[in-house]
Every structure is written in C-alpha cells, then in structure tokens.
Amino acid sequence: MKKEELLKRLESHQPDILGMPNTREHAVILPVIEKAEDLHILFEVRSQRMRRQPGEVCFPGGKIDSGETPQEAALREMHEEIGIHPDEVSFVRKLGMVTTPFGVKLHVFIGFLPSDLDLTLNPDEVEEVFSVPFTFFKNNPAIDHYIHMHMEPDEKFPTKDIPNGKNYKWQKVHYRENFYYYKNYVIWGLTALIVADFVERFQIR
C-alpha cells in the first residue's frame, strides 16, 4: 500500500471503538416532565411480550436505523413506544455515551416533555409508564452491587505463546450495577447507571 492510498482511506474513516468493528448502536432519551411540585423523570416498563428483558424498567429508545442520527432514533423510538411526537419534545441535548462489554454503544439524550402528557402506549413494547421526582434521587442515592467477571481462556488458547504461560495473571473485573428502589419498581442496569451519572454530573438537589 502506498502512502497516498492510506491517506485517502483515512479521510473517509469514521472513528469508532477500536477492536469492536461490529458494535451495535442504540440511542435512548431521559425524558423530564415539569410538574407543579418538582421535575420528574419518566420511565417505561418493558412489555412481557418483549424477547429481551421483559418487565424491566428502561428509557424510551432502541436501535439506530440506517440513515438516521442517534437523536432522531431516540425520538422516533419514543414516538413509537409511548406516542410522544418529536415536535413535542423540547431542549433535546446529548448527555453522553455508554459502551458495554457486550458490543453495544448507547447514545444518551435528555429532553423535556409537556406536562399535559397524552400518551399512547404500544402494548407490544411498553407495559406501563411511571415518573419519579428529582427529590427521590436527591434523598435516595443509588445502591451499588457488583458482578465479578473473570477471564477464562478457551481450551485452545495458546498460553505457551504468552509470558508466564498458564500462570498468566488475568485481570479480574468488578462490574458495578446501580440499583434504585421506587415504590414497587426496581431501576437497575444501564438505566440506573444513566440516572446515577445524571444526578451526580448535574448536582441534582
């Protein structure tokens, strides 16, 4: 390969997560509702009809389709799931991005919904919705629990080709999971991670 050819390829290159060329991209939105007494965060409960994670608490969102931006995907998914049209969402901003060990890159947005919500739930995706006031998260920090992950080489892994061979000290990973308990709802996983980061980053008081 000549230098010119490499430079041409670099011009069209879109930076991504190295070593994860098949990352699945999703987008979610943290919906905020202004009520008389406080700001609230709106959550969904996934339908029992869902193949993945039925009954779990989540934010509106899903897979990014070809040709759309992450923000467009988050707003489209919210419209499909609970009937809120993108034009009804104001002050949409990107909060950040989460990557998982399972090949998912999650774009996270925040948006403000009208206080006089008129929701139409898609029963194939959403069992119910509920909202939690900011003051709850102020007074109830996330409870941390850990999943201990350890690496186990495949039986055909060439340990003889690496320093210390079979005695190689593989890294142990302690994966933190945040939990919030609100009434009869359990908020955990990536949804709780997003909430915990939001509360800390923006000093929710």
Side-chain angles (χ1 to χ4, degrees):
M1 177 183 289
K2 295 186 179 296
K3 174 183 176 182
E4 290 74 17
E5 183 181 352
L6 176 58
L7 290 174
K8 184 177 180 180
R9 295 186 183 186
L10 286 170
E11 287 178 2
S12 60
H13 172 67
Q14 296 296 321
D16 208 331
I17 303 172
L18 301 183
M20 298 176 66
N22 299 316
T23 300
R24 303 188 305 277
E25 292 201 62
H26 291 66
V28 299
I29 186 163
L30 186 157
V32 176
I33 310 168
E34 186 174 6
K35 296 192 176 183
E37 75 284 2
D38 198 358
L39 292 175
H40 283 231
I41 298 176
L42 183 72
F43 295 90
E44 297 179 356
V45 177
R46 292 170 64 87
S47 171
Q48 292 294 337
R49 304 178 189 179
M50 297 291 285
R51 182 173 58 86
R52 294 182 62 255
Q53 300 172 311
E56 293 198 15
V57 174
C58 68
F59 287 127
K63 185 178 179 181
I64 301 173
D65 288 342
S66 177
E68 67 180 352
T69 66
Q71 180 172 319
E72 290 170 342
L75 293 172
R76 172 184 56 76
E77 288 282 352
M78 181 160 62
H79 185 213
E80 293 175 359
E81 293 169 5
I82 60 176
I84 296 294
H85 193 276
D87 292 342
E88 297 181 279
V89 188
S90 59
F91 303 104
V92 180
R93 300 289 186 273
K94 188 167 187 178
L95 290 178
M97 189 169 60
V98 181
T99 59
T100 76
F102 312 107
V104 174
K105 180 165 67 174
L106 183 65
H107 302 264
V108 183
F109 296 85
I110 186 174
F112 288 76
L113 306 186
S115 55
D116 53 340
L117 287 174
D118 184 15
L119 301 181
T120 303
L121 306 189
N122 179 346
D124 290 330
E125 299 191 53
V126 183
E127 191 79 22
E128 62 174 308
V129 297
F130 65 97
S131 68
V132 182
F134 275 26
T135 49
F136 171 81
F137 298 109
K138 168 191 171 183
N139 298 323
N140 298 273
I143 299 172
D144 295 339
H145 294 283
Y146 291 85
I147 298 174
H148 302 294
M149 305 171 65
H150 70 279
M151 298 184 182
E152 182 177 345
D154 184 82
E155 59 181 13
K156 294 182 179 180
F157 190 88
T159 52
K160 62 182 179 59
D161 296 332
I162 63 176
N164 299 314
K166 292 183 178 181
N167 295 319
Y168 187 87
K169 293 185 177 180
W170 296 97
Q171 183 179 7
K172 294 181 179 179
V173 179
H174 304 292
Y175 193 81
R176 185 178 67 183
E177 290 282 8
N178 303 118
F179 279 74
Y180 292 100
Y181 297 89
Y182 179 74
K183 296 183 177 179
N184 61 322
Y185 301 103
V186 179
I187 305 169
W188 77 292
L190 289 180
T191 304
L193 180 152
I194 293 168
V195 172
D197 184 272
F198 173 71
V199 170
E200 176 66 24
R201 190 181 298 269
F202 293 95
Q203 300 180 5
I204 301 303
R205 299 289 186 266

